[in-house]
Amino acid sequence: MISDSSTPSAADANASSDDAPVSNVVLVTVDSLRADAVSPYDTERRSPVIDGLAEDGTVFDRAFATGNWTPFSFPSILASEPVFSRSGDIGVDESVTLAEVLSDAGIATGGFNAANGFLTDHWGYPDGFDEFEPFVTSVGSSVYSRYLAAHPTVEAWIQLATSPIRRLGSKLRGENDDRPFLDASRMFDVEDAATEFVDDTDEPFFLWVHYMDTHTPYVPAPRYIREVSDGIVGTHQMLHAHARTSLGLEVGERTLRELRTLYQATVRQVDASVGRLLDSLDAAGVADDTAVLLAGDHGEEFQEHGHLAHYPKLYDELIHVPFVADVPGLDGGRVDGHVGLDAIPPTVADLLGVEPSPEWHGESVLPALRGEETISGGDDGSDGDGDDRSDTDDGDASAGSADPVVSVTVRGEEVTEQPIPRSLSDGDLFVSVRDDDWTFIENVDAGERELYHRPEDPTQQENLATDPDDRAQSAIDRFAPIVDAHAELLRERGDAAEAAAAERGDDEVDEDLDARLEALGYK
């Protein structure tokens, strides 16, 4: 880490600009995007734009989120620190954010979030951004708009019913077919704001965009359902799947298959939007000077461990995420070693020639992007997670850090209990530790442990901690102290901060934010 605690100035940034590989950085984050949902990690998927970024750039095969929910993961993505470690809550209001560091160094900053209520000013996310729009209030103030915000499944029905009319109207007007569907996810709002920011901003700049399409309840345009399924009949899968899930009926194999199809359709929808965003960089004449980083903030479960969506668990379907970086002038390749998303802020700062904050926890992966490091490998010579493409391509490298990736969640009495915990007192603390091959999970409060060797058990079904052999016990002995230290850090910060927050009484959210959180399923 950088030991100099001074804040970099604009003059410092300008002085180092000759050494910076790029002039601008675009960070694309996609809510609920698991690694195997995109084609760089699973060749059976369809995400041609993201695949293009991967072919020209670098793919991190073992990238891990630091939590299973957006507010548990984003403190690492935009402030390079664990959730709860700064202020004891799920925000970044008192953190040193990436946008603040870049803005202080004279970099223009823009952030646009497709109405995820946990990425708003209530939790400090606008700090450091010259332009910031969460689009939460775009749900409108009418009774109709508020109803749709709180019942997005209804939007799915409207999407399907109006799509033919929208397509016909688009053709009659002589327009292309890119946008003939209901913007249920606020995707176009984000696209338009990001494009305007790029057009109006002189270099250098940092742009962050966050998509929500892949979050439940999966409301893709019918055209994308057709792309990832068996033609026009696939469009009607949305009706059947949403009807059964909204009524609380049993999710059988057919419904589960339909939900997966809808999810993949939303991935394709985001992929197309990212393509239009890249086109806007080209149109503005800045594509050759702009690095593009793309990551999922956490994954999504389809009953691998008994549930749907992203309830408080720490298995790979929720923690293993895509992380792709396309940096002009660098050949790229595949990075085999494990890396946490807290590497994003120092990497972006490094790319822009700005000193990272000494308070950040993560390390820059720019050396790995340059191919300056070697494969860290597994403890048994295995390729690792067993995905389709982990052993392909030239230029494999390690993320360069021996430190395992730590992730956390908080679970109440029931796995499906809502709302999302906002402090450590809301349930039991779960901490996971991952290296290249092992996953260790501990319920710190109950003292319950799980251990999985991913090369032999990629879906984490056989708990080796129940009767560990020498190899498993050695892994437990390595990881348990890391869990203890992390839990101690969070508890120490959390107790003090929770008491201060209770005294201030500042945990209430406004009506628009509350409506949007309800729309996401967080009542």
Side-chain angles (χ1 to χ4, degrees), residues 199-266:
D199 290 342
D200 295 345
T201 304
D202 295 329
E203 300 178 276
F205 65 76
F206 168 67
L207 169 64
W208 164 56
V209 297
H210 183 70
Y211 289 99
M212 288 297 295
D213 305 70
T214 48
H215 191 286
T216 54
Y218 320 136
V219 190
R223 59 177 296 188
Y224 296 116
I225 304 175
R226 293 193 295 272
E227 280 195 34
V228 301
S229 63
D230 298 327
I232 192 167
V233 175
T235 301
H236 301 88
Q237 296 178 31
M238 191 187 315
L239 295 178
H240 179 264
H242 279 300
R244 291 194 66 85
T245 54
S246 63
L247 293 172
L249 301 177
E250 181 181 355
V251 176
E253 282 301 316
R254 175 189 170 186
T255 303
L256 188 60
R257 184 172 60 253
E258 291 170 347
L259 289 172
R260 285 174 173 153
T261 298
L262 292 176
Y263 177 73
Q264 287 302 140
T266 64

Side-chain angles (χ1 to χ4, degrees), residues 171-333:
K171 291 179 179 179
L172 291 175
R173 292 190 299 270
E175 299 173 353
N176 62 41
D177 198 38
D178 280 344
R179 299 189 176 192
F181 55 90
L182 180 67
D183 188 14
S185 68
R186 314 300 184 255
M187 178 183 73
F188 294 146
D189 290 332
V190 167
E191 265 188 50
D192 292 340
T195 299
E196 184 176 352
F197 174 81
V198 171
D199 290 342
D200 295 345
T201 304
D202 295 329
E203 300 178 276
F205 65 76
F206 168 67
L207 169 64
W208 164 56
V209 297
H210 183 70
Y211 289 99
M212 288 297 295
D213 305 70
T214 48
H215 191 286
T216 54
Y218 320 136
V219 190
R223 59 177 296 188
Y224 296 116
I225 304 175
R226 293 193 295 272
E227 280 195 34
V228 301
S229 63
D230 298 327
I232 192 167
V233 175
T235 301
H236 301 88
Q237 296 178 31
M238 191 187 315
L239 295 178
H240 179 264
H242 279 300
R244 291 194 66 85
T245 54
S246 63
L247 293 172
L249 301 177
E250 181 181 355
V251 176
E253 282 301 316
R254 175 189 170 186
T255 303
L256 188 60
R257 184 172 60 253
E258 291 170 347
L259 289 172
R260 285 174 173 153
T261 298
L262 292 176
Y263 177 73
Q264 287 302 140
T266 64
V267 173
R268 179 66 187 99
Q269 183 166 294
V270 168
D271 187 77
S273 180
V274 173
R276 292 190 291 271
L277 180 59
L278 297 181
D279 289 343
S280 73
L281 297 176
D282 192 55
V286 299
D288 292 340
D289 302 317
T290 303
V292 179
L293 279 62
L294 181 142
D297 68 338
H298 56 77
E300 191 80 335
E301 181 183 356
F302 291 94
Q303 292 191 341
E304 287 88 348
H305 289 90
H307 295 92
L308 298 171
H310 39 279
Y311 287 112
K313 306 175 198 176
L314 297 173
Y315 304 109
D316 266 21
E317 60 267 20
L318 297 182
I319 303 300
H320 185 203
V321 294
F323 182 23
V324 178
D326 184 10
V327 180
L330 300 183
D331 292 335

